[in-house]
Amino acid sequence: MIKVVVADDQTTIREALALMLDLFDDFEVVGTAADGAEAVRLVAEYGADVVLMDLRMPGTDGVTATARLRQEHPATRVVVLTTYSDDADVLAGLRAGATGYLTKDATRNQIAQAIRAAAEGTSVLDSEVSRKLLAAAGDGPAAYAGELPDGLSAREAEVLTLIAAGLANREIAARLFVTEATVKSHINRLFAKIGVTDRAQAVRYAYRHGLAAPDD
């Protein structure tokens, strides 16, 4: 069972998310929080695996709470679920340590997928969020010429570019006509080569090295 805390200042949304997650056999909602401070307290009390976190809450907001969880409870993952997806929110949430980032128009299956991925230590970024992250990372892609950086193979660089475009493993596999297992192998190797641990970090790396651009 994946223990989940739901944090949102709107009671209706908070309760609806908790009820929705209770419908899945592998989730246990151990608490709901109206602000970030309460979310941190519930994690300390129940040892939650994942916090489904709104960003804009009164008192302790989601960014501050995410940073606290990163420091005080590093084993707990945060998936941001918010109405807002502007550049500042995206970067603030990810820099604070969020593992996944979805907007509130995500389907229940997308939310469940993001929670499961977070519990396993991987990340899920909404495709629109991924594009905004690229656009906010700087004024433009770094100039690049010559050999691929950090010993990346051509296929690994291709997979990295597709990750930066917001594609899930299944979609990458379909695009490249390979199995998901093969995609996972490519991702494991390229993550090791470039020294990152999740997709958000990989997106930033791809942008810095000119392997993706905001319009990709």
Side-chain angles (χ1 to χ4, degrees), residues 31-141:
T32 62
D35 65 14
E38 189 176 5
V40 175
R41 181 185 64 77
L42 289 170
V43 168
E45 182 174 354
Y46 295 106
D49 302 301
V50 179
V51 178
L52 193 59
M53 182 83 75
D54 189 19
L55 286 186
R56 298 188 183 182
M57 296 181 287
T60 303
D61 63 23
V63 173
T64 302
T66 298
R68 283 185 57 188
L69 288 170
R70 179 80 170 182
Q71 182 176 20
E72 299 172 18
H73 305 281
T76 299
R77 309 292 182 175
V78 174
V79 174
V80 170
L81 182 66
T82 183
T83 304
Y84 309 97
S85 62
D86 60 59
D87 298 349
D89 283 328
V90 171
L91 288 177
L94 294 175
R95 284 170 177 164
T99 301
Y101 202 122
L102 300 173
T103 54
K104 285 182 178 175
D105 59 357
T107 67
R108 72 170 190 168
N109 286 332
Q110 288 173 327
I111 294 171
Q113 178 189 5
I115 291 173
R116 293 186 185 109
E120 294 173 356
T122 59
S123 68
V124 171
L125 295 179
D126 178 273
S127 58
E128 177 64 19
V129 167
S130 186
R131 286 192 291 272
K132 287 179 179 292
L133 177 61
L134 287 172
D139 294 329

Side-chain angles (χ1 to χ4, degrees), residues 13-36:
I13 293 177
R14 188 169 66 245
E15 293 178 350
L17 288 170
L19 288 171
M20 179 196 74
L21 293 176
D22 278 334
L23 296 176
F24 291 91
D25 294 335
D26 54 338
F27 296 149
E28 178 186 1
V29 178
V30 296
T32 62
D35 65 14

